[in-house]
Amino acid sequence: MTPLQRYLVVSTLLFGVGLAGALTRRNAILVLVGIELMLTAANLNFIAFWRYGPNPESAAGIVFTLFAIAVAAAETAVGLALIIKIYRHRRTTNLDQMDALKG
Amino acid sequence: MEGIARHLWLVPTLPLVAAGVLALVPRRERRWAAGLAIGALTVSLVLALLAFARTLTGPGVRLTHNFTWLEFGDAQLVLGWVLDPLGAGMLVMVTLVGLLIFLYSLGYMAADENFTRFFCFLSLFAGAMLGVVIANSLLLLFICWELVGLASYLLIGFWYQKPAAAAAAKKAFITTRIGDVALLVGMLWLYAASGTLVFYDGSEGCLESGVVNRLAAQTLTGGLTLSTALGLLIFVGAMGKSGQVPLHVWLQVAMEGPTPVSARSTPPPWWPPASSWWRACSR
């Protein structure tokens, strides 16, 4: 296995763990954690393809990843704020009980 | 004997690894969990004593080990650790006092159902604090500094079912964060002004006379030199963590955590690195 393939296997596993968490957990915060894991897997892919790609001297991979991490931090802050707001309103973080939009 | 400086990273890493393992250990494995935490810190204490013995071999021993962590075009972020008499003394003290607190917690927390979680957090705290002591780069110091903040948040709020404990933990986290913003600004400004965050690096480090003299020669408004401004910013970070006025408000309610935690977080052993910076800058 080439080093690139190893990185891709790790990021695939990480993505799988995140996806399983996001789909099976009913707690909103744990779903957010799952989403973050999937983002981390995508970042790992960015870095791996940049490092073993045709042009590792340019800083493109690192710039992309740092940008994605910063955006992900902002996204988590917004997500957590939403969860706190919903919790204050409904007294629960269970996603199955957040069904106010159901017809 | 040079090996001890190269392997100094083991001192904080062992408790951190123990904390990582303990996070996965099931709740009923109490004996095993306590043994792992105390064993890791005991090995750290032995290594710290070896390092301390090394600094006694001559006056002003200073051994450093630096490596490039991240390369970004022409800019580099360098991390590393340093062994000098001040750091070695602190290492021995932090590991010894930490070990005593671990042993005390063994009995104090014996009836608590989250015994393993407590030892996980204590190990994280110990590892992060040892990281602050050996850091030779302001960036590594900042990373460990934030880990200390996280660990004190977790420990003060250990009995999170108690509303007072949860509120105290939140207060501690947010108050120390205010200080850390100043530290972060100081760090970025230092990097912009001097291009290095390493304390000792041949003669290129930001605590050594070349860079300090260069920073002290630049005057901002009102006769304030750049080095004084940077020192003040970094000092505010130390104020936040060590509970000095006006960032002391978290310390009064921090006793909501278990007693061993108060023993761990009240003496502020993390300010010497910052104070040595302060000293070097305000000459």
Side-chain angles (χ1 to χ4, degrees):
Chain A
M1 226 192 303
T2 65
L4 176 60
Q5 282 171 330
R6 273 182 229 147
Y7 277 99
L8 295 185
V9 167
V10 171
S11 78
T12 311
L13 289 175
L14 203 57
F15 191 88
V17 171
L19 188 64
L23 291 180
T24 59
R25 293 294 181 150
R26 295 275 55 94
N27 185 321
I29 291 175
L30 290 175
V31 171
L32 202 61
V33 171
I35 293 172
E36 286 305 313
L37 278 184
M38 290 193 278
L39 268 171
T40 309
N43 283 339
L44 192 59
N45 267 5
F46 263 135
I47 286 287
F49 280 124
W50 162 71
R51 182 74 178 70
Y52 295 104
N55 197 6
E57 297 81 29
S58 75
I62 287 194
V63 171
F64 254 121
T65 308
L66 287 179
F67 213 81
I69 289 174
V71 172
E75 175 246 302
T76 312
V78 173
L80 281 175
L82 281 175
I83 292 173
I84 289 174
K85 216 63 192 155
I86 292 173
Y87 179 78
R88 291 215 174 119
H89 195 60
R90 313 277 308 242
R91 288 280 135 203
T92 178
T93 53
N94 188 322
L95 290 174
D96 282 342
Q97 290 173 32
M98 298 176 195
D99 51 3
L101 282 180
K102 221 181 237 175
Chain B
M1 279 304 256
E2 300 306 314
I4 188 68
R6 203 164 346 112
H7 297 295
L8 201 63
W9 60 276
L10 280 170
V11 178
T13 307
L14 285 171
L16 286 178
V17 169
V21 174
L22 286 177
L24 302 173
V25 166
R27 232 188 271 189
R28 56 180 184 283
E29 307 284 344
R30 293 162 164 259
R31 188 176 282 269
W32 205 85
L36 181 67
I38 291 173
L41 200 62
T42 311
V43 178
S44 288
L45 173 61
V46 172
L47 289 173
L49 285 170
L50 284 175
F52 186 64
R54 176 67 183 81
T55 60
L56 295 179
T57 54
V61 175
R62 179 171 293 141
L63 302 165
T64 58
H65 183 92
N66 297 327
F67 59 92
T68 305
W69 178 50
L70 190 68
E71 252 173 299
F72 194 85
D74 295 329
Q76 286 183 338
L77 285 179
V78 179
L79 299 184
W81 49 88
V82 59
L83 176 63
D84 58 4
L86 174 69
M90 289 311 290
L91 271 188
V92 172
M93 194 179 90
V94 171
T95 45
L96 183 66
V97 176
L99 194 60
L100 294 178
I101 291 169
F102 276 37
L103 292 174
Y104 174 70
S105 315
L106 214 53
Y108 188 85
M109 299 300 285
D112 200 286
E113 62 171 330
N114 290 315
F115 187 77
T116 51
R117 186 160 62 91
F118 187 71
F119 272 91
C120 171
F121 292 167
L122 270 190
S123 292
L124 177 67
F125 199 119
M129 210 144 66
L130 292 167
V132 170
V133 174
I134 68 163
N136 187 30
S137 153
L138 195 56
L139 184 64
L140 184 60
L141 187 139
F142 186 75
I143 294 171
C144 297
W145 192 270
E146 293 301 316
L147 277 176
V148 172
L150 172 70
S152 25
Y153 165 77
L154 292 171
L155 283 170
I156 293 171
F158 185 73
W159 290 317
Y160 58 86
Q161 301 92 339
K162 271 202 310 186
K170 212 159 61 181
K171 194 170 190 180
F173 196 73
I174 293 171
T175 316
T176 51
R177 206 67 341 119
I178 295 171
D180 292 345
V181 169
L183 177 56
L184 180 65
V185 171
M187 187 170 85
L188 294 176
W189 196 359
L190 172 66
Y191 188 75
S194 71
T196 180
L197 291 174
V198 182
F199 294 147
Y200 305 105
D201 180 19
S203 56
E204 300 291 300
C206 62
L207 276 189
E208 285 162 314
S209 53
V211 175
V212 173
N213 288 341
R214 197 139 40 84
L215 292 179
Q218 297 183 41
T219 315
L220 306 169
T221 52
L224 186 73
T225 62
L226 181 54
S227 59
T228 313
L230 290 173
L232 277 173
L233 280 171
I234 290 166
F235 181 65
V236 171
M239 275 167 69
K241 277 277 196 306
S242 55
Q244 297 172 44
V245 181
L247 296 177
H248 64 290
V249 285
W250 66 273
L251 201 56
Q252 298 151 341
V253 289
M255 304 306 148
E256 288 295 339
T259 302
V261 176
S262 323
R264 200 84 171 104
S265 57
T266 311
W270 41 77
W271 61 265
S275 69
S276 66
W277 216 95
W278 168 242
R279 210 167 48 215
C281 291
S282 50
R283 286 193 307 192

